[in-house]
Amino acid sequence: ETRQSSRSDLREDNEEGMAEVKKRFDALMKIDVEAKQGKQKLQSSFLALRRLVLFRGIGAPTKNTDNKTKFRGQLWKLMTGVLFTENENPVDEYLKEIKKGKATVKTSDGRSSYEAIRDDSFRTMKGATLFDVAVEEPKIIRVLNSYVQRSNKAYNQGMNTILCPFLVCMNELDAFHCFYHLLEKMTPTYWMSYKRKGIGTSKGFYLGARAACRLADKILREVDPELHESLMDSETIRNNSEKITGHTPGKSQAEVFHQLYTFRHMQVFSLVARPLGEVIKLWDLFFALGMHMHVVAYVAQLMLIRHRLMESGAKINKILSQEAWPELNAREVTSLTTYLMPKLSDSLIEELKNHVTDRELCLRLVDWTPTTADMRFGSERRRTKSIGDKIMMLGVLAESERPRSSHKSRPPRYARHRSTAASPGNCMLS
């Protein structure tokens, strides 16, 4: 009865939150930009709307396209900038790309983009409750093929996965424009190629995602050096370091961890996690604060399972592999993500914000190796309690069930948040 009551309260809270967000959205759409101080009113109203989305939420989407799902689509169009930047004839523009036929731009392995799209489309998000690939596959093919035609850039694996949330929350036309805007305007570095140094082939791909792996490593090193050290020194990482990266000093453990676990999350903006409905709620956070937030959200997910990762004899591959990745709770991850952001150094926040568009920054990050100063900084942090020790972890386990760690320090004491979200002052909105 208590559980049913809490679910009912949460449902009512979601409905109230959605009504509040929708009211603010309707008011924003009525603002006359040409009027006196119209632009200022629009900017302040938009900021207030983003705060509401962050702290009130609009609930999870359902399989059937209900009013909530349709509204999220309109909200995403606004927050991605599509609502105010799309051309006068978006339908004609999309039809023009479709009429061009099969995209012939070559992928890295020599196939045409259309062939690569067809090879991936039928297996997109298989098993997701909100997405029926058998029904949606023709839309996936049309949107991805049209993206290649319009951008004149090759299709890359992972684009089909990123398209899914848009097709769940909006029609095909809007999905195309939002998808194009996300890849070309909001995260262009993620699809750039680059020259690799030292290991492997001479050409690398997904530059922004590789840089995001470095940023995730830096964030975890800052906020929870004990967890970072424990992961880098785990048996799985040590056993695979030489196979993947050779003997690069100070770099091999991070490289293998990124390749085995982090990269896929960075590549598809947390869509490795399940269920899809919770990831879509997490995307509300990314669109409200910026797509760079997905890197912090990944670190937050690691910290939420800190007790499992640091317990004696833990097999991290059985916890962090794509198939075993823990079920996502968007509310918990959002709360911890907004808590962590103000804890980061100013320089790291700047790198985080800029890496989605700055190619030169991404190249520097990809080639970054921890220096002696970085190592000393981590050691100094370990002498005191890390954020991982002090953080309030949303009631992960009862006190009696918390496992002991094989690590030198005592395991963290987990406590429940007093509130379900960080205070507005900590939310890094601008």
Side-chain angles (χ1 to χ4, degrees):
E1 291 178 0
T2 303
R3 186 177 298 175
Q4 289 178 348
S5 176
S6 63
R7 286 178 179 174
S8 177
D9 292 342
L10 182 60
R11 193 180 302 113
E12 290 177 5
D13 186 50
N14 285 338
E15 294 299 330
E16 290 176 4
M18 179 181 171
E20 198 172 345
V21 173
K22 195 172 188 308
K23 183 178 179 181
R24 174 66 68 175
F25 176 84
D26 292 339
L28 183 147
M29 297 305 295
K30 294 177 182 177
I31 295 175
D32 183 3
V33 183
E34 301 299 327
K36 187 177 180 180
Q37 296 184 333
K39 291 184 179 179
Q40 293 180 351
K41 289 181 180 179
L42 181 66
Q43 187 174 4
S44 61
S45 184
F46 187 41
L47 178 62
L49 176 65
R50 291 161 66 194
R51 289 182 184 274
L52 276 176
V53 172
L54 180 60
F55 297 113
R56 296 291 283 161
I58 55 176
T62 60
K63 190 168 185 178
N64 298 319
T65 308
D66 57 8
N67 291 332
K68 186 187 298 182
T69 306
K70 291 178 181 177
F71 175 63
R72 178 177 266 110
Q74 290 298 308
L75 198 61
W76 283 9
K77 283 182 67 178
L78 174 67
M79 292 193 294
T80 56
V82 170
L83 203 59
F84 293 128
T85 59
E86 63 184 1
N87 296 335
E88 294 181 1
N89 298 309
V91 177
D92 293 341
E93 183 180 340
Y94 183 44
L95 289 176
K96 183 178 80 172
E97 304 302 339
I98 292 176
K99 290 176 180 178
K100 290 180 181 178
K102 300 176 182 178
T104 57
V105 181
K106 297 295 183 182
T107 62
S108 58
D109 58 5
R111 293 176 296 167
S112 71
S113 287
Y114 179 78
E115 289 176 321
I117 290 168
R118 292 303 302 264
D119 287 342
D120 283 351
S121 61
F122 71 94
R123 57 187 177 186
T124 302
M125 280 290 180
K126 271 196 170 180
T129 55
L130 287 174
F131 193 83
D132 187 349
V133 68
V135 175
E136 303 292 344
E137 186 181 8
K139 297 179 184 178
I140 295 172
I141 295 169
R142 284 194 296 269
V143 171
L144 294 177
N145 191 77
S146 297
Y147 165 78
V148 174
Q149 295 285 27
R150 183 177 177 184
S151 65
N152 199 31
K153 296 176 183 177
Y155 165 79
N156 284 286
Q157 196 171 48
M159 290 181 177
N160 57 320
T161 304
I162 293 171
L163 176 59
C164 288
F166 293 116
L167 290 176
V168 170
C169 297
M170 58 187 71
N171 61 48
E172 182 180 338
L173 174 65
D174 290 340
F176 166 73
H177 288 287
C178 286
F179 176 78
Y180 182 88
H181 200 86
L182 174 63
L183 269 57
E184 292 297 306
K185 306 297 183 182
M186 299 175 72
T187 59
T189 60
Y190 274 60
W191 313 103
M192 293 178 180
S193 59
Y194 65 102
K195 290 183 179 180
R196 303 175 67 186
K197 293 182 180 179
I199 61 171
T201 59
S202 60
K203 192 173 185 180
F205 300 91
Y206 307 103
L207 174 61
R210 304 286 179 189
C213 291
R214 293 293 186 203
L215 288 169
D217 187 77
K218 285 187 172 187
I219 292 168
L220 187 59
R221 189 188 296 270
E222 273 198 17
V223 301
D224 197 346
E226 289 178 340
L227 177 57
H228 180 274
E229 182 180 3
S230 178
L231 290 174
M232 296 304 119
D233 195 42
S234 65
E235 183 180 355
T236 303
I237 302 304
R238 281 188 275 107
N239 290 344
N240 287 277
S241 290
E242 291 186 10
K243 297 177 185 176
I244 294 180
T245 63
H247 299 273
T248 309
K251 196 172 182 179
S252 60
Q253 287 86 353
E255 284 283 355
V256 69
F257 187 83
H258 298 335
Q259 186 159 330
L260 291 178
Y261 307 117
T262 307
F263 173 72
R264 181 61 177 166
H265 290 263
M266 301 299 102
Q267 180 191 23
V268 296
F269 309 126
S270 292
L271 280 163
V272 170
R274 295 290 187 274
L276 179 57
E278 290 297 301
V279 182
I280 287 175
K281 288 166 66 176
L282 199 58
W283 273 36
D284 294 339
L285 164 71
F286 302 159
F287 288 139
L289 299 186
M291 287 304 296
H292 60 276
M293 293 297 292
H294 82 96
V295 184
V296 189
Y298 168 74
V299 175
Q301 291 177 71
L302 290 178
M303 294 181 70
L304 283 168
I305 54 172
R306 188 180 195 267
H307 61 288
R308 295 177 59 193
L309 293 170
M310 294 187 67
E311 69 181 350
S312 179
K315 302 291 185 182
I316 66 169
N317 194 55
K318 294 183 178 179
I319 303 172
L320 298 182
S321 66
Q322 188 170 336
E323 297 76 18
W325 189 260
E327 189 170 294
L328 177 69
N329 184 313
R331 192 173 185 137
E332 292 180 357
V333 175
T334 297
S335 180
L336 184 51
T337 300
T338 53
Y339 176 85
L340 291 176
M341 275 299 288
K343 309 295 181 184
L344 304 181
S345 62
D346 292 341
S347 60
L348 183 51
I349 289 175
E350 282 302 306
E351 287 181 335
L352 190 64
K353 288 182 176 180
N354 295 332
H355 87 279
V356 293
T357 55
D358 189 337
R359 177 181 174 83
E360 294 304 317
L361 170 62
C362 287
L363 289 171
R364 292 196 300 272
L365 285 169
V366 167
D367 291 332
W368 174 77
T369 302
T371 63
T372 304
D374 292 320
M375 299 298 185
R376 185 167 61 250
F377 174 76
S379 299
E380 290 171 356
R381 289 291 295 271
R382 284 191 291 277
R383 292 193 190 104
T384 60
K385 287 187 176 181
S386 69
I387 291 177
D389 283 325
K390 296 186 289 185
I391 196 122
M392 298 173 289
M393 298 301 291
L394 298 148
V396 176
L397 288 175
E399 181 70 31
S400 60
E401 297 175 352
R402 292 171 195 159
R404 291 294 174 183
S405 173
S406 60
H407 203 269
K408 294 178 183 179
S409 63
R410 293 180 63 188
R413 290 184 173 273
Y414 298 101
R416 184 178 297 275
H417 268 299
R418 292 188 179 181
S419 63
T420 56
S423 63
N426 290 342
C427 69
M428 306 305 295
L429 289 170
S430 57

